[in-house]
């Protein structure tokens, strides 16, 4: 078992203390740890001090996918790791869970990626049990959201997509399909990965036998997504539809995003969120 983890850090010192604790639960199962600082260059020394065994790279790009690709490329070029764990810095995975994911991943030659069930912060309520891509409009539907963990019956589920917070990928997958599409920047990268894996014959799996928690560590007073995030959430499904499919799917994808935008706008007006809802 040779697992290399990759994680981004962008001016998130408010997350540093809990992140160190999260990593301590799986660091003994890591072969290598790669962190990409794509924020302030001065944070590189802080990261190296906080994670002395890690390789800390600095990226000048604000493009998240460019930074993830920097980490993936480093692992492929400089290590013989046979699996790559992409994990965010506000996600906790239970002790011993990483080895379990690895063992399941390598039980089946056809498997390319695996993820643990994701629970809401410090709870037994499901945030997602994998995801399904709606190929008619490129929507990414998180499965079993808001169910109690005990209500999930199947130990494993094959999915068409895995959310980007935490997933383990065989090295051969990246060697086969290439790196992630940097034109996406953020959001819908999971859709693109799911399509590329399917086209290459790799299956995606999620399992409830390993728990993880999305802790959603935000700076004080931060409640809304940035305008850039909203832009990419609307733009990227249309981009992916154009990338893989014909005009019919492109039009249906555009209409679905337009409908969602109208619903969100009406919701903001109804709840009198004001301009802060759009910041």
């Amino acid at each position: 078992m040779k697992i290399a983890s990759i994680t981004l850090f962008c001016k998130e010192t408010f997350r540093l203390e809990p992140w160190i604790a999260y990593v301590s639960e799986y660091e003994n199962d890591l072969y290598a740890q790669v962190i990409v600082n794509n924020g302030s260059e001065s944070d590189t020394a802080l990261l190296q001090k906080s994670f002395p065994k890690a390789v800390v790279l600095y990226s000048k790009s604000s493009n998240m996918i460019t930074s993830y690709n920097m980490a993936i490329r480093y692992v492929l070029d400089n290590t013989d790791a046979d699996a790559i764990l992409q994990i965010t810095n506000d996600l906790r995975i239970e002790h011993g869970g990483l080895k379990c994911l690895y063992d399941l991943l390598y039980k089946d030659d056809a498997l390319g990626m695996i993820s643990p069930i994701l629970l809401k912060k410090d709870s037994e309520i499901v945030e997602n049990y994998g995801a399904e891509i709606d190929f008619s409009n490129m929507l990414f539907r998180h499965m079993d959201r808001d169910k109690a963990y005990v209500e999930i019956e199947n130990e494993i589920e094959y999915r068409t997509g895995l959310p980007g917070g935490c997933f383990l990928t065989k090295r051969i997958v990246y060697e086969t399909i290439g790196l992630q599409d940097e034109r996406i920047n953020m959001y819908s990268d999971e859709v693109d990965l799911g399509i590329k894996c399917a086209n290459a014959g790799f299956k995606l799996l999620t399992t409830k036998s390993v728990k993880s928690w999305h802790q959603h560590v935000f700076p004080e007073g931060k409640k809304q997504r940035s305008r850039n995030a909203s832009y990419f959430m609307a733009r990227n499904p249309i981009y992916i539809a154009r990338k893989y499919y014909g005009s019919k799917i492109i039009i249906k994808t555009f209409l679905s995003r337009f409908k969602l935008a109208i619903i969100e706008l009406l919701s903001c007006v109804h709840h009198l969120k004001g301009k802060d809802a759009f910041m």
Side-chain angles (χ1 to χ4, degrees):
M1 183 174 75
K2 294 182 177 180
I3 300 172
S5 70
I6 59 173
T7 308
L8 304 189
F9 181 90
C10 184
K11 301 178 183 178
E12 296 158 318
T13 52
F14 58 90
R15 287 183 175 176
L16 193 56
E17 186 175 342
W19 181 24
I20 292 170
Y22 305 152
V23 172
S24 70
E25 296 192 71
Y26 62 83
E27 64 181 345
N28 289 338
D29 291 328
L30 291 181
Y31 180 64
Q33 181 184 15
V34 180
I35 299 169
V36 177
N37 170 21
N38 65 330
S40 173
E41 190 170 6
S42 61
D43 285 338
T44 299
L46 174 63
L47 289 168
Q48 196 67 75
K49 181 179 179 181
S50 301
F51 300 98
K53 296 180 181 179
V55 173
V56 181
L57 308 174
Y58 176 66
S59 171
K60 295 181 180 180
S61 176
S62 60
N63 185 316
M64 291 177 60
I65 301 302
T66 297
S67 298
Y68 272 124
N69 280 346
M70 176 184 285
I72 295 167
R73 190 178 295 109
Y74 180 91
V75 172
L76 296 178
D77 292 346
N78 297 280
T79 80
D80 60 345
D82 58 3
I84 297 176
L85 172 71
Q86 181 170 313
I87 185 167
T88 60
N89 58 29
D90 64 345
L91 194 141
R92 178 189 163 215
I93 184 169
E94 67 177 316
H95 183 74
L98 190 52
K99 184 180 185 305
C100 180
L101 289 177
Y102 180 91
D103 290 343
L104 284 171
L105 182 64
Y106 272 91
K107 274 187 176 180
D108 184 350
D109 289 342
L111 278 180
M113 299 168 60
I114 188 171
S115 71
I117 192 169
L118 185 63
L119 305 176
K120 295 186 177 183
K121 182 177 180 178
D122 297 327
S123 77
E124 294 292 302
I125 303 300
V126 177
E127 184 161 309
N128 68 68
Y129 192 26
E132 292 292 338
I133 302 169
D134 186 334
F135 292 99
S136 70
N137 56 22
M138 299 299 106
L139 288 180
F140 194 66
R141 303 184 187 281
H142 289 196
M143 304 305 293
D144 295 319
R145 183 185 289 272
D146 294 326
K147 280 189 176 181
Y149 173 80
V150 295
E151 294 177 344
I152 303 298
E153 297 180 357
N154 296 331
E155 285 293 318
I156 62 170
E157 291 282 1
Y158 289 94
R159 300 298 192 196
T160 54
L162 299 178
C166 178
F167 57 84
L168 186 66
T169 308
K170 289 177 180 174
R171 179 191 187 102
I172 193 173
V173 171
Y174 290 115
E175 292 176 335
T176 302
I177 69 173
L179 301 180
Q180 299 185 44
D181 186 343
E182 296 180 7
R183 286 170 291 185
I184 290 173
N185 193 317
M186 67 173 85
Y187 298 107
S188 294
D189 47 301
E190 306 101 328
V191 177
D192 189 62
L193 271 177
I195 293 172
K196 290 202 293 187
C197 282
N199 289 344
F202 293 112
K203 295 179 181 179
L204 310 184
L205 186 74
T206 189
T207 178
K208 66 169 288 189
S209 62
V210 178
K211 295 179 181 178
S212 64
W213 292 265
H214 196 178
Q215 298 296 75
H216 291 290
V217 181
F218 292 112
E220 186 175 351
K222 178 71 173 178
K223 295 181 180 179
Q224 300 291 339
R225 288 190 173 99
S226 70
R227 284 171 288 184
N228 279 346
S230 298
Y231 165 74
F232 284 113
M233 289 174 71
R235 174 259 192 191
N236 284 344
I238 300 169
Y239 165 74
I240 292 172
R242 291 185 62 192
K243 180 177 177 181
Y244 293 105
Y245 304 105
S247 57
K248 181 179 179 180
I249 301 300
I250 295 170
I251 292 170
K252 292 179 73 172
T253 302
F254 172 81
L255 291 175
S256 73
R257 301 313 301 180
F258 184 75
K259 177 182 176 181
L260 290 173
I262 293 298
I263 291 171
E264 176 65 16
L265 178 62
L266 292 175
S267 175
C268 289
V269 173
H270 177 72
H271 294 289
L272 300 177
K273 291 182 179 178
K275 67 178 182 179
D276 289 342
F278 303 94
M279 301 300 288

